[in-house]
mmCIF file of all heavy atoms in Angstrom:
data_model
loop_
_atom_site.group_PDB
_atom_site.id
_atom_site.type_symbol
_atom_site.label_atom_id
_atom_site.label_comp_id
_atom_site.label_asym_id
_atom_site.label_seq_id
_atom_site.Cartn_x
_atom_site.Cartn_y
_atom_site.Cartn_z
ATOM 1 N N GLN A 37 68.527 75.986 43.740
ATOM 2 C CA GLN A 37 67.933 74.859 43.036
ATOM 3 C C GLN A 37 66.412 74.974 43.099
ATOM 4 O O GLN A 37 65.821 74.981 44.184
ATOM 5 C CB GLN A 37 68.390 73.531 43.657
ATOM 6 C CG GLN A 37 67.928 72.310 42.892
ATOM 7 C CD GLN A 37 68.517 71.028 43.455
ATOM 8 O OE1 GLN A 37 68.938 70.975 44.597
ATOM 9 N NE2 GLN A 37 68.569 69.980 42.638
ATOM 10 N N GLY A 40 62.746 70.176 40.716
ATOM 11 C CA GLY A 40 62.863 69.469 39.446
ATOM 12 C C GLY A 40 63.992 69.929 38.555
ATOM 13 O O GLY A 40 64.065 69.513 37.392
ATOM 14 N N GLY A 42 68.394 71.271 38.294
ATOM 15 C CA GLY A 42 69.692 71.243 38.940
ATOM 16 C C GLY A 42 70.043 72.601 39.522
ATOM 17 O O GLY A 42 69.398 73.603 39.209
ATOM 18 N N LEU A 45 74.176 78.602 39.497
ATOM 19 C CA LEU A 45 75.069 79.510 40.221
ATOM 20 C C LEU A 45 74.467 80.905 40.314
ATOM 21 O O LEU A 45 74.037 81.484 39.315
ATOM 22 C CB LEU A 45 76.427 79.578 39.533
ATOM 23 C CG LEU A 45 77.497 80.413 40.250
ATOM 24 C CD1 LEU A 45 77.867 79.779 41.581
ATOM 25 C CD2 LEU A 45 78.737 80.556 39.374
ATOM 26 N N PHE A 88 72.108 76.611 48.169
ATOM 27 C CA PHE A 88 73.277 75.860 48.615
ATOM 28 C C PHE A 88 74.504 76.752 48.598
ATOM 29 O O PHE A 88 74.733 77.482 47.633
ATOM 30 C CB PHE A 88 73.560 74.678 47.681
ATOM 31 C CG PHE A 88 72.539 73.586 47.717
ATOM 32 C CD1 PHE A 88 71.536 73.534 46.764
ATOM 33 C CD2 PHE A 88 72.582 72.605 48.689
ATOM 34 C CE1 PHE A 88 70.590 72.526 46.781
ATOM 35 C CE2 PHE A 88 71.641 71.590 48.715
ATOM 36 C CZ PHE A 88 70.639 71.554 47.769
ATOM 37 N N THR A 97 91.817 72.396 41.415
ATOM 38 C CA THR A 97 90.700 71.606 40.915
ATOM 39 C C THR A 97 89.417 72.408 41.049
ATOM 40 O O THR A 97 89.321 73.294 41.895
ATOM 41 C CB THR A 97 90.556 70.293 41.704
ATOM 42 O OG1 THR A 97 89.395 69.600 41.243
ATOM 43 C CG2 THR A 97 90.403 70.554 43.191
ATOM 44 N N ASP A 98 88.445 72.083 40.200
ATOM 45 C CA ASP A 98 87.129 72.713 40.316
ATOM 46 C C ASP A 98 86.203 71.940 41.243
ATOM 47 O O ASP A 98 85.023 72.213 41.306
ATOM 48 C CB ASP A 98 86.480 72.823 38.931
ATOM 49 C CG ASP A 98 87.123 73.907 38.096
ATOM 50 O OD1 ASP A 98 87.765 74.798 38.675
ATOM 51 O OD2 ASP A 98 86.997 73.859 36.870
ATOM 52 N N LYS A 99 86.729 70.952 41.970
ATOM 53 C CA LYS A 99 85.897 70.189 42.902
ATOM 54 C C LYS A 99 85.308 71.109 43.954
ATOM 55 O O LYS A 99 85.959 72.037 44.406
ATOM 56 C CB LYS A 99 86.743 69.127 43.597
ATOM 57 C CG LYS A 99 86.967 67.873 42.814
ATOM 58 C CD LYS A 99 87.852 66.926 43.573
ATOM 59 C CE LYS A 99 87.320 66.674 44.970
ATOM 60 N NZ LYS A 99 88.216 65.754 45.728
ATOM 61 N N LEU A 100 84.059 70.833 44.329
ATOM 62 C CA LEU A 100 83.356 71.639 45.309
ATOM 63 C C LEU A 100 82.907 70.783 46.483
ATOM 64 O O LEU A 100 82.589 69.607 46.326
ATOM 65 C CB LEU A 100 82.121 72.284 44.687
ATOM 66 C CG LEU A 100 82.347 73.239 43.520
ATOM 67 C CD1 LEU A 100 81.001 73.733 42.999
ATOM 68 C CD2 LEU A 100 83.214 74.410 43.945
ATOM 69 N N ARG B 9 64.546 61.689 32.783
ATOM 70 C CA ARG B 9 64.323 62.577 33.926
ATOM 71 C C ARG B 9 63.858 61.793 35.152
ATOM 72 O O ARG B 9 64.127 62.190 36.284
ATOM 73 C CB ARG B 9 63.293 63.648 33.583
ATOM 74 C CG ARG B 9 63.725 64.609 32.498
ATOM 75 C CD ARG B 9 64.896 65.496 32.960
ATOM 76 N NE ARG B 9 64.584 66.191 34.187
ATOM 77 C CZ ARG B 9 64.005 67.379 34.248
ATOM 78 N NH1 ARG B 9 63.663 68.007 33.151
ATOM 79 N NH2 ARG B 9 63.782 67.956 35.420
ATOM 80 N N GLN B 37 72.311 63.343 44.929
ATOM 81 C CA GLN B 37 71.638 64.242 45.855
ATOM 82 C C GLN B 37 70.538 63.484 46.578
ATOM 83 O O GLN B 37 69.524 63.123 45.980
ATOM 84 C CB GLN B 37 71.055 65.461 45.124
ATOM 85 C CG GLN B 37 70.474 66.493 46.078
ATOM 86 C CD GLN B 37 69.983 67.740 45.364
ATOM 87 O OE1 GLN B 37 69.531 67.699 44.224
ATOM 88 N NE2 GLN B 37 70.076 68.884 46.037
ATOM 89 N N GLU B 56 88.703 61.003 39.300
ATOM 90 C CA GLU B 56 88.297 60.825 40.683
ATOM 91 C C GLU B 56 87.162 59.830 40.785
ATOM 92 O O GLU B 56 86.234 59.853 39.977
ATOM 93 C CB GLU B 56 87.851 62.159 41.280
ATOM 94 C CG GLU B 56 87.499 62.066 42.760
ATOM 95 C CD GLU B 56 87.945 63.279 43.532
ATOM 96 O OE1 GLU B 56 88.676 64.113 42.997
ATOM 97 O OE2 GLU B 56 87.536 63.384 44.696
ATOM 98 N N ASP B 96 87.081 73.520 32.523
ATOM 99 C CA ASP B 96 88.295 72.745 32.702
ATOM 100 C C ASP B 96 88.371 72.311 34.148
ATOM 101 O O ASP B 96 87.637 72.823 34.992
ATOM 102 C CB ASP B 96 89.510 73.603 32.335
ATOM 103 C CG ASP B 96 90.652 72.773 31.795
ATOM 104 O OD1 ASP B 96 90.681 71.562 32.074
ATOM 105 O OD2 ASP B 96 91.506 73.341 31.111
ATOM 106 N N LEU B 97 89.229 71.403 34.441
ATOM 107 C CA LEU B 97 89.323 70.910 35.798
ATOM 108 C C LEU B 97 90.260 71.754 36.645
ATOM 109 O O LEU B 97 90.128 71.840 37.841
ATOM 110 C CB LEU B 97 89.804 69.454 35.783
ATOM 111 C CG LEU B 97 89.627 68.684 37.089
ATOM 112 C CD1 LEU B 97 88.169 68.656 37.490
ATOM 113 C CD2 LEU B 97 90.152 67.288 36.941
ATOM 114 N N TYR B 103 87.687 80.206 39.655
ATOM 115 C CA TYR B 103 86.821 79.046 39.634
ATOM 116 C C TYR B 103 86.115 78.940 38.296
ATOM 117 O O TYR B 103 85.571 79.900 37.777
ATOM 118 C CB TYR B 103 85.792 79.157 40.760
ATOM 119 C CG TYR B 103 84.732 78.109 40.683
ATOM 120 C CD1 TYR B 103 85.038 76.779 40.935
ATOM 121 C CD2 TYR B 103 83.443 78.437 40.307
ATOM 122 C CE1 TYR B 103 84.069 75.816 40.845
ATOM 123 C CE2 TYR B 103 82.475 77.475 40.215
ATOM 124 C CZ TYR B 103 82.791 76.156 40.488
ATOM 125 O OH TYR B 103 81.842 75.202 40.391
ATOM 126 N N ASN B 104 86.140 77.741 37.738
ATOM 127 C CA ASN B 104 85.388 77.484 36.517
ATOM 128 C C ASN B 104 84.019 76.954 36.906
ATOM 129 O O ASN B 104 83.907 75.851 37.420
ATOM 130 C CB ASN B 104 86.122 76.468 35.641
ATOM 131 C CG ASN B 104 87.396 77.044 35.080
ATOM 132 O OD1 ASN B 104 87.404 78.139 34.537
ATOM 133 N ND2 ASN B 104 88.487 76.308 35.213
ATOM 134 N N GLN B 106 80.590 75.302 37.469
ATOM 135 C CA GLN B 106 79.984 74.035 37.084
ATOM 136 C C GLN B 106 78.535 74.299 36.695
ATOM 137 O O GLN B 106 77.786 74.919 37.435
ATOM 138 C CB GLN B 106 80.038 73.039 38.237
ATOM 139 C CG GLN B 106 81.433 72.509 38.515
ATOM 140 C CD GLN B 106 81.455 71.461 39.587
ATOM 141 O OE1 GLN B 106 80.479 70.751 39.819
ATOM 142 N NE2 GLN B 106 82.597 71.331 40.254
ATOM 143 N N GLY B 109 72.951 69.774 35.040
ATOM 144 C CA GLY B 109 71.762 69.333 34.337
ATOM 145 C C GLY B 109 70.589 69.267 35.297
ATOM 146 O O GLY B 109 70.746 69.494 36.500
#
Side-chain angles (χ1 to χ4, degrees):
Chain A
Q37 186 174 21
L45 185 65
F88 292 97
T97 176
D98 286 340
K99 279 178 53 181
L100 299 178
Chain B
R9 295 293 305 271
Q37 186 176 31
E56 184 142 350
D96 210 338
L97 195 59
Y103 171 69
N104 291 311
Q106 288 184 27

